Amino acid sequence: MADTINTDSPAEATNVQAAQVSRSNENRSTTPSSEGFQSYISSGWADREDTLPPAREQAPFAAARRDRISALYLGQRLIIPAGRLKQRSNDCDYAFRAHSAFSYLTGWGSDSEPGAILVLEPTETGHDATLYFRERAGRESSEFYANSSIGEFWIGARPSIAQVASDLGINVRGIADFDLVLGAIDSSTLVVRESDPELTALIDDARIRFAAEKALSNNASDSPFSLEVNSEHEPDGILARDLSELRLVKDSYEIEQMRLAVNATALGFTDVISDLPRSSSHARGERLVEGVFNTRARVEGNTVGYDTIAASGPHACILHWTTNDGPVVPGDLILIDAGVEVDSYYTADITRTLPVNGTFTDVQRRIYDAVHEAADAAFAVVRPGAIFREVHAAAMEVIARKTAEWGILPVSAEDALKPENGQHRRYMVHGTSHHLGIDVHDCAQARRDMYMDGVIEPGMLFTIEPGLYFQLDDLTVPAEFRGIGVRIEDDILVTADGAENLSAHIPRSSSDVEAWIASLS
């Protein structure tokens, strides 16, 4: 990797730019700085063709979402940052992903710019939306060639303000102008806190200053007062909650993106099965499974929506096994929990459990078929008007009944299902469903009465993912069960009169899974 240097000067930076920590490598940099070089590199460039793109498909959807949050916060300034690059090591950063609330309200996905900020400025009738971002450096600037974070020599061409405005269908200004917003902040200004901690600190300081000035202007200077901004800042938390709850029901654009993500994920599973002979011959076969799927995610979309779980043999009993360093042994099952995130950031979340050699043993099939039955039972209750937690309850009835039938439970299935008991949950401690969309665990900040106890509505999209996991050292189960883990997970869209399994075309039953593997061998 080439040497890097960030030439930003804190003295020249705007307040919001200075909030970003600079990781300079000037002590080892060989970046030229001579007058002759700077004069030469700034000249001889062809004129830019700053063609304005048409508004992207999601632009009107993002505008409608902004209108919905605007209606909830009339008279208040709302600040939704994209977030910044996050350090991986020394001067190396993780790949940038904008905060989901920012992407949801702007339509900017995998091509979004680090450090961008959406501001909804209150008006008499609603809000004016403005996007602030650090515009590209002119070729006469040293940033053009020396700044490894934004310089086009380092990261490629960047859009102009006019291009972003046309693309997103939104008013756009340079990041330096955001200082005007900072200067106007009052106590009613709200921010999505978690997306940009440095910016949040600036806003907290501005709110404290505003409150102090207001107190002094009210002749309160002789009276002691306390000004604190709680780290949770309750009004900010309510904004995050409301933005989360807006995403519970998906619009038509979101649903189409989810279909694309599911279909790309299906291709990834097919790739994994086709590569099983290679994966099963390597000491770290799980890594090969992960790599094969992740290749498809990069080809078809942005990346994976979360770390791929490639859990073979006993690793399948570890719910979030992402170390993926074990062998893929013929005769074992491999549990693959994976999803492609498309460029709009919407991600699938699908699990299939496969017999590595193509055929389930009798015990494996018995466990698999029980999980399949639980998944189908949960799907059967999905309809508008049902309560979200009823989906989980339906799956748990099957899990309790099956484990009781096998003589594993110390009580009957009926007793196990009583609120004060729950012995069957030893073998499935996780929930059956979670909302899905621009986050793999979407809408996570929604209130319980909108989520777990919420009424299911058309346009909601969530997983159904029951499982059974018998740990290798679990003495409560028969020896032949130990080390077997099975999960089946599908992505479910609620329709006007029921539900659609978006991933139903990815084989689910034990017989269909065997036929699927055989067709690719």
Side-chain angles (χ1 to χ4, degrees):
M1 177 179 286
D3 286 356
T4 60
I5 181 170
N6 189 319
T7 61
D8 289 345
S9 168
E12 298 173 356
T14 67
N15 286 333
V16 68
Q17 288 169 339
Q20 184 173 16
V21 176
S22 177
R23 298 191 292 273
S24 174
N25 287 320
E26 57 188 7
N27 288 340
R28 67 176 180 83
S29 174
T30 58
T31 304
S33 58
S34 64
E35 223 175 275
F37 168 79
Q38 291 182 7
S39 173
Y40 187 61
I41 199 171
S42 297
S43 63
W45 300 103
D47 291 338
R48 296 180 188 266
E49 294 182 12
D50 281 342
T51 305
L52 299 183
R56 61 180 61 189
E57 180 186 0
Q58 56 266 51
F61 293 95
R65 298 166 194 160
R66 293 194 295 272
D67 288 343
R68 290 170 64 199
I69 197 65
S70 171
L72 297 177
Y73 288 90
L74 295 177
Q76 291 184 266
R77 181 182 295 105
L78 307 180
I79 300 176
I80 302 94
R84 299 183 184 274
L85 292 166
K86 294 179 174 60
Q87 184 179 21
R88 183 182 186 276
S89 65
N90 189 31
D91 58 345
C92 296
D93 296 308
Y94 288 103
F96 177 69
R97 187 193 190 281
H99 191 275
S100 295
F102 173 88
S103 183
Y104 182 73
L105 294 175
T106 63
W108 224 356
S110 64
D111 56 342
S112 55
E113 289 278 339
I117 308 165
L118 173 67
V119 176
L120 301 185
E121 192 70 30
T123 66
E124 290 185 1
T125 58
H127 288 83
D128 285 337
T130 300
L131 178 67
Y132 296 83
F133 90 104
R134 189 167 186 176
E135 62 272 34
R136 67 188 181 196
R139 284 165 171 165
E140 72 285 352
S141 164
S142 63
E143 285 186 346
F144 171 58
Y145 62 87
N147 189 312
S148 62
S149 295
I150 63 170
E152 294 188 4
F153 257 71
W154 296 90
I155 64 171
R158 297 179 64 239
S160 67
I161 286 177
Q163 286 172 328
V164 174
S166 180
D167 183 15
L168 300 181
I170 193 172
N171 182 47
V172 179
R173 299 180 68 172
I175 195 64
D177 290 344
F178 185 78
D179 280 355
L180 300 174
V181 178
L182 280 177
I185 281 174
D186 57 21
S187 57
S188 69
T189 298
L190 300 179
V191 62
V192 175
R193 299 184 68 80
E194 66 180 9
S195 58
D196 190 334
E198 293 90 353
L199 179 61
T200 296
L202 290 177
I203 292 169
D204 284 347
D205 288 345
R207 287 189 290 207
I208 290 172
R209 285 196 302 273
F210 175 85
E213 290 168 4
K214 184 176 181 181
L216 292 171
S217 68
N218 289 337
N219 297 318
S221 58
D222 294 333
S223 302
F225 60 90
S226 174
L227 295 172
E228 294 184 4
V229 177
N230 187 281
S231 61
E232 297 301 321
H233 198 68
E234 183 178 354
D236 290 340
I238 294 173
L239 171 62
R241 179 202 73 190
D242 289 341
L243 285 168
S244 199
E245 290 176 355
L246 285 182
R247 305 207 305 263
L248 284 166
V249 175
K250 270 55 180 176
D251 58 40
S252 60
Y253 175 80
E254 292 178 286
I255 291 169
E256 180 57 30
Q257 292 300 298
M258 288 301 303
R259 292 186 189 278
L260 293 174
V262 168
N263 291 340
T265 300
L267 295 175
F269 276 99
T270 296
D271 294 343
V272 166
I273 291 173
S274 297
D275 197 61
L276 276 176
R278 184 175 71 108
S279 300
S280 60
S281 65
H282 195 283
R284 293 177 123 190
E286 292 174 342
R287 291 274 167 98
L288 273 67
V289 170
E290 175 188 353
V292 167
F293 185 88
N294 291 8
T295 297
R296 176 62 68 173
R298 290 291 283 165
V299 168
E300 300 292 333
N302 179 41
T303 184
V304 289
Y306 53 95
D307 288 342
T308 296
I309 298 170
S312 187
H315 288 162
C317 300
I318 302 171
L319 300 181
H320 281 176
W321 174 258
T322 56
T323 306
N324 298 342
D325 62 354
V328 176
V329 179
D332 282 347
L333 300 179
I334 181 168
L335 186 157
I336 305 165
D337 186 334
V340 173
E341 176 187 275
V342 292
D343 285 321
S344 60
Y345 286 163
Y346 287 83
T347 183
D349 180 8
I350 295 166
T351 306
R352 290 294 184 263
T353 306
L354 312 171
V356 175
N357 63 5
T359 304
F360 291 99
T361 67
D362 290 343
V363 171
Q364 290 168 349
R365 188 185 305 275
R366 190 187 322 163
I367 296 169
Y368 187 97
D369 289 349
V371 173
H372 186 218
E373 184 178 337
D376 286 351
F379 180 77
V381 306
V382 179
R383 65 192 183 284
I387 305 301
F388 187 74
R389 56 180 154 76
E390 294 173 352
V391 179
H392 176 68
M396 286 299 94
E397 288 181 7
V398 176
I399 296 299
R401 175 165 48 82
K402 288 296 184 180
T403 51
E405 286 177 4
W406 296 335
I408 294 174
L409 297 186
V411 297
S412 67
E414 293 73 20
D415 283 340
L417 288 165
K418 292 177 180 178
E420 66 271 21
N421 290 329
Q423 290 86 347
H424 59 297
R425 295 298 303 278
R426 176 182 179 123
Y427 312 108
M428 181 185 154
V429 299
H430 62 78
T432 302
S433 299
H434 60 79
H435 282 269
L436 180 65
I438 203 167
D439 283 338
V440 66
H441 296 135
D442 210 19
C443 316
Q445 292 164 302
R447 288 165 288 186
R448 184 178 180 87
D449 60 354
M450 298 285 286
Y451 199 126
M452 186 57 64
D453 295 330
V455 177
I456 292 174
E457 300 178 44
M460 286 185 170
L461 210 154
F462 48 78
T463 65
I464 289 180
E465 49 177 311
L468 280 168
Y469 314 91
F470 301 111
Q471 304 292 335
L472 200 59
D473 57 352
D474 190 342
L475 302 182
T476 69
V477 301
E480 63 268 25
F481 280 31
R482 297 172 195 164
I484 295 177
V486 173
R487 182 162 65 250
I488 303 170
E489 179 179 21
D490 289 288
D491 299 346
I492 310 302
L493 170 66
V494 183
T495 61
D497 55 1
E500 177 188 354
N501 183 346
L502 299 183
S503 48
H505 59 291
I506 305 175
R508 300 173 66 252
S509 71
S510 56
S511 58
D512 286 347
V513 166
E514 288 178 334
W516 185 27
I517 296 172
S519 72
L520 297 170
S521 298

